[in-house]
Amino acid sequence: MNPDSQPSTSRGRFSADQARNLIQRWIGDDSDSSEETSDCDLNLSSDEEEQPTLDLDRGADESSDGEVEPAPKRQCKGKGKGKSSTRPRSRSTQSSATATAKSRSTVSDPPATASARDNGGWSHIEHGGTANTIRFLPTKVPGVLPESGLDENSSALDCLSVLLDREVKQVIVTFINDYAEKRIAEKSGNFSPRSVFARWKKITVKEFDKFMAVLILIGLDRRPAISDYWSMSPEFCTAWYHSMFPRQRFQDIYHSMLHAGDKDAEGKDKIEPFMNLLLGKFRGAFYPFQELSIDEMVIGFKGRWQFKQFNASKPSKYHIKTFGLCDSSTGYVMNILTYFGANTSYDPEADADSGAAVKIFDTLLTCVDRGHKIYADRYYTTRALVDHLLKKRHHYTGTLMLNRKSFPPQLKNLSLQHRQMRWFLHENADVLCVAFRDKKAKNPVVLVSTDAQVDTTRVKDVDKPTVIHDYNSHMNGCDLLDQKVTYYPVFSRKSVKWWKKLFFWMMEITQVNAFILYTLTRTDAQKKIGLKKFKLMLVRQIVESLANSNNDNNNDNNDEARAPGRQPENNPMERIQGTRHIISYVKRDRNCVVCSKDGARKRTHFVCLGCSGAPHLHPKDCFQAYHNV
């Protein structure tokens, strides 16, 4: 039999000569060696080069040309000349040889270079931090601006009047009257004599002040329906509302004719120009401190509107979505962006191809200088936003979703023990990531910051990363505002018009901002007050201002008409409070304090016994006019 011939496949075995020839061919030895040695021809020691492993079970190996050759059996030469050993190698020897071959066949880069490439430039650190040098140098002094004219002697009404000044009120009054005229003209006289169109009279700035006073008190005094405030039931009756407005007149304004945009406005133009006007007043009275927070602020709304949002995790599942920029320490609102889908009014200078987060931040930050520290949640955190804010010379700190790109890949499989923390710094030293697992948390919280160091702060006997402590302290600006506006809200009342929700919400924000201005202008020695007391002060001061205005118009010019010894009113509020006003007849007539004027004096015998001084009043019209604002 030719030893070079292929073995018979029926038995699947090799002869000794065939095995010897195959081994010699495999190791490249062309000579037939007959020397007897005490060791095997194939040395499997780890000190020598590892040879390819033969599969003795299959009896075949892959040749260089792709053909399958029979696998030889190993032959050892010892004392028993001519005896062959068919015992295969041990399993441990095979695995060791295979592992060595794999390790030697793999060529890798140095560990540091490979790690930097594989982790996207991120590395774990134990000390150090970011190296960004951004200074906070605002053009205005943070706090209440001097041009607002507010100081420690300013009243609550003064603080509100800085934001809701006569210009804003005149704009609203114009919008309401123009809208009412349009609706009446559309009816072309085809309406009932008892309808709102027949009895409508133009609203004035003074009447709008009364309207605001009633709105503020309605927020403090919650009742099921608007008509309940004018109820004559003993359980509901409150004379103050009757003295401020007839029920029908208030409802005509509140339900029918209230408008905050041009009479022909559609879509976002129904409310956005008015909001921008009011936001400009906000920025003219206050400049924020270095820390700012940007977050989503929602207004509950279940009516029909194409941009209405749904989020089951929100307190109001169906809502109008807005984005707000607030001062972190006070909660003062600086800017608001309302979501209108593709029609959202982003900053025209913002890159149209950038992400939504970049456009939102560019729009909200147009009103502040460089150098601020911006805090936001994980909804906005992207690497594109972080880099964009660094170019705009702002710091950014926010939580992170682990599926966001260009952040440390080590975070995805990171496992931390309770109270354990890890720090990762980018190779450019511009962004720092920290992962921290609190005691009761199932998963670690991950934070990204461009202004942070590897440092800890002790909070309630627990060491936490300082950047996380700063985030918890400064992120609550918008949350603080949301909390305050929901204490005594008017915007929470049902409405079928979406823009009315935004209008009353902005009125509530105006009051909260005025409260913040009032608090900041108080000295430490002065007693701080709460929001409820501040609103009550607003109502009293608005009504007192209206009463003094009426008193100036009707009575100040009648001093000469008063009888000798007659004293002017000491309390202008008395005539519109819930006093028991009774009209009575007296023998001596005097000038009517309402309709009597110089050159046209009108005298009457009737007086009001409920008011101090018993002012003379005509019982038909003057009595009612005197006891209303």
Side-chain angles (χ1 to χ4, degrees):
M1 179 179 178
N2 187 0
D4 294 336
S5 62
Q6 296 295 333
S8 175
T9 57
S10 61
R11 299 180 59 185
R13 299 178 62 87
F14 298 96
S15 65
D17 293 335
Q18 287 177 328
R20 185 183 300 108
N21 292 335
L22 288 174
I23 293 174
Q24 289 177 356
R25 185 193 305 172
W26 176 59
I27 64 177
D29 188 4
D30 296 334
S31 61
D32 294 331
S33 177
S34 59
E35 182 180 359
E36 295 182 359
T37 59
S38 60
D39 294 331
C40 297
D41 291 341
L42 297 179
N43 193 339
L44 301 178
S45 173
S46 61
D47 296 335
E48 299 182 6
E49 290 189 1
E50 177 68 16
Q51 302 295 338
T53 305
L54 299 177
D55 192 346
L56 301 180
D57 296 332
R58 296 180 181 269
D61 192 11
E62 295 182 2
S63 62
S64 60
D65 58 357
E67 296 179 355
V68 178
E69 295 185 357
K73 292 185 180 292
R74 186 178 59 168
Q75 178 179 359
C76 295
K77 298 179 181 180
K79 294 182 180 180
K81 185 177 179 180
K83 294 183 179 180
S84 61
S85 173
T86 59
R87 183 176 57 189
R89 291 182 293 175
S90 63
R91 182 175 301 177
S92 61
T93 305
Q94 292 180 6
S95 60
S96 175
T98 305
T100 306
K102 289 183 179 180
S103 63
R104 294 190 178 185
S105 63
T106 303
V107 180
S108 61
D109 295 333
T113 305
S115 176
R117 184 181 68 248
D118 296 341
N119 295 330
W122 294 90
S123 58
H124 174 254
I125 62 172
E126 297 293 343
H127 56 82
T130 57
N132 301 313
T133 56
I134 301 176
R135 300 182 63 187
F136 178 57
L137 298 173
T139 57
K140 300 178 181 179
V141 179
V144 181
L145 298 178
E147 48 264 37
S148 66
L150 300 177
D151 55 25
E152 60 184 17
N153 297 319
S154 299
S155 64
L157 183 58
D158 293 335
C159 296
L160 181 66
S161 299
V162 169
L163 308 179
L164 194 65
D165 60 4
R166 187 170 184 84
E167 178 188 0
V168 178
K169 290 186 285 189
Q170 186 62 56
V171 168
I172 299 175
V173 168
T174 302
F175 285 153
I176 294 175
N177 290 330
D178 290 347
Y179 179 70
E181 289 179 0
K182 176 188 174 182
R183 293 194 63 186
I184 294 173
E186 289 174 348
K187 294 293 182 179
S188 302
N190 298 324
F191 45 76
S192 170
R194 299 174 60 88
S195 69
V196 60
F197 305 104
R199 62 174 176 266
W200 174 257
K201 295 181 181 179
K202 286 188 175 182
I203 188 174
T204 63
V205 173
K206 175 184 173 182
E207 196 170 17
F208 182 77
D209 287 336
K210 295 165 56 179
F211 184 75
M212 278 297 302
V214 174
L215 283 181
I216 296 172
L217 199 63
I218 283 177
L220 295 170
D221 181 19
R222 294 284 296 176
R223 297 188 185 181
I226 292 295
S227 59
D228 291 337
Y229 295 98
W230 282 266
S231 173
M232 298 304 295
S233 171
E235 294 81 11
F236 283 107
C237 184
T238 304
W240 184 88
Y241 295 104
H242 295 267
S243 65
M244 293 297 293
F245 263 107
R247 176 183 59 82
Q248 197 66 64
R249 177 62 173 172
F250 183 85
Q251 288 184 325
D252 289 347
I253 300 173
Y254 182 87
H255 290 301
S256 302
M257 298 303 183
L258 182 62
H259 207 65
D262 187 75
K263 60 182 180 181
D264 298 320
E266 295 293 338
K268 65 180 183 180
D269 293 334
K270 288 184 176 182
I271 188 64
E272 196 169 58
F274 167 73
M275 292 179 64
N276 292 335
L277 175 63
L278 202 54
L279 289 171
K281 302 298 180 181
F282 293 172
R283 296 190 283 267
F286 179 84
Y287 188 82
F289 299 93
Q290 186 175 12
E291 291 79 14
L292 299 173
S293 65
I294 292 180
D295 202 1
E296 211 176 66
M297 297 189 294
V298 301
I299 307 103
F301 179 67
K302 293 184 178 181
R304 292 187 177 184
W305 189 47
Q306 59 178 330
F307 304 118
K308 180 178 63 177
Q309 302 292 301
F310 174 80
N311 190 338
S313 63
K314 296 290 184 181
S316 300
K317 295 181 181 180
Y318 297 94
H319 55 262
I320 300 171
K321 182 167 68 174
T322 65
F323 305 97
L325 173 68
C326 298
D327 178 68
S328 295
S329 58
T330 62
Y332 190 94
V333 177
M334 293 297 300
N335 207 352
I336 293 174
L337 175 64
T338 308
Y339 177 76
F340 291 102
N343 298 324
T344 303
S345 300
Y346 295 114
D347 181 19
E349 298 181 1
D351 186 5
D353 297 330
S354 60
V358 174
K359 291 189 287 187
I360 291 171
F361 275 61
D362 273 351
T363 304
L364 293 177
L365 294 175
T366 53
C367 61
V368 296
D369 298 324
R370 297 181 176 181
H372 284 278
K373 296 181 180 180
I374 315 299
Y375 294 85
D377 59 22
R378 62 180 189 169
Y379 175 81
Y380 309 95
T381 306
T382 62
R383 187 56 193 268
L385 174 65
V386 174
D387 294 339
H388 180 77
L389 291 178
L390 284 176
K391 292 180 182 179
K392 294 285 187 178
R393 309 301 294 167
H394 289 298
H395 285 298
Y396 178 81
T397 302
T399 50
L400 176 68
M401 292 183 183
L402 297 183
N403 60 351
R404 294 290 169 90
K405 296 181 179 179
S406 302
F407 288 105
Q410 303 97 312
L411 296 171
K412 295 182 179 180
N413 300 321
L414 187 64
S415 179
L416 297 179
Q417 301 297 325
H418 292 303
R419 306 283 171 80
Q420 188 180 4
M421 59 193 78
R422 290 286 182 87
W423 310 80
F424 300 93
L425 181 67
H426 194 262
E427 58 185 359
N428 296 331
D430 57 347
V431 183
L432 181 71
C433 289
V434 56
F436 173 72
R437 184 181 179 188
D438 208 349
K439 183 177 180 180
K440 297 181 180 180
K442 294 183 179 179
N443 299 313
V445 59
V446 181
L447 207 70
V448 175
S449 179
T450 59
D451 181 34
Q453 303 292 320
V454 178
D455 191 16
T456 59
T457 300
R458 195 159 188 83
V459 181
K460 296 182 179 179
D461 299 329
V462 177
D463 289 331
K464 295 183 177 181
T466 302
V467 63
I468 291 182
H469 176 68
D470 293 341
Y471 178 85
N472 292 334
S473 302
H474 298 121
M475 181 54 203
N476 61 351
C478 294
D479 296 335
L480 188 62
L481 184 277
D482 281 337
Q483 181 182 8
K484 290 179 179 179
V485 297
T486 54
Y487 283 155
Y488 316 106
V490 176
F491 66 88
S492 62
R493 304 191 74 92
K494 291 183 179 181
S495 175
V496 297
K497 297 181 179 180
W498 62 269
W499 63 265
K500 278 191 176 182
K501 284 282 187 175
L502 283 170
F503 175 82
F504 291 124
W505 182 64
M506 288 298 297
M507 290 294 101
E508 195 68 33
I509 290 178
T510 304
Q511 298 169 46
V512 172
N513 277 358
F515 170 68
I516 294 172
L517 294 177
Y518 183 84
T519 304
L520 292 176
T521 54
R522 303 301 99 178
T523 61
D524 295 336
Q526 292 175 315
K527 184 179 180 181
K528 306 291 183 180
I529 64 172
L531 181 59
K532 179 181 178 181
K533 187 174 181 180
F534 175 80
K535 284 175 171 281
L536 287 173
M537 289 173 58
L538 274 180
V539 172
R540 295 191 184 105
Q541 290 173 13
I542 290 174
V543 174
E544 185 175 356
S545 174
L546 294 171
N548 287 331
S549 176
N550 278 349
N551 193 49
D552 292 340
N553 294 334
N554 297 327
N555 298 331
D556 286 353
N557 296 328
N558 300 332
D559 290 341
E560 297 179 359
R562 294 191 184 101
R566 172 79 181 274
Q567 297 297 324
E569 293 184 62
N570 294 324
N571 182 13
M573 286 285 292
E574 181 183 48
R575 62 187 175 87
I576 57 175
Q577 291 176 341
T579 310
R580 188 174 181 84
H581 300 284
I582 300 177
I583 191 168
S584 178
Y585 181 86
V586 294
K587 292 182 178 181
R588 185 175 180 179
D589 64 332
R590 289 183 177 177
N591 293 328
C592 175
V593 298
V594 174
C595 62
S596 181
K597 299 180 181 179
D598 292 338
R601 298 179 180 178
K602 297 181 180 180
R603 304 178 71 85
T604 178
H605 290 273
F606 293 94
V607 298
C608 177
L609 298 180
C611 296
S612 59
H616 281 64
L617 299 164
H618 287 102
K620 184 177 180 181
D621 297 325
C622 297
F623 186 87
Q624 181 179 0
Y626 183 77
H627 292 98
N628 287 303
V629 178

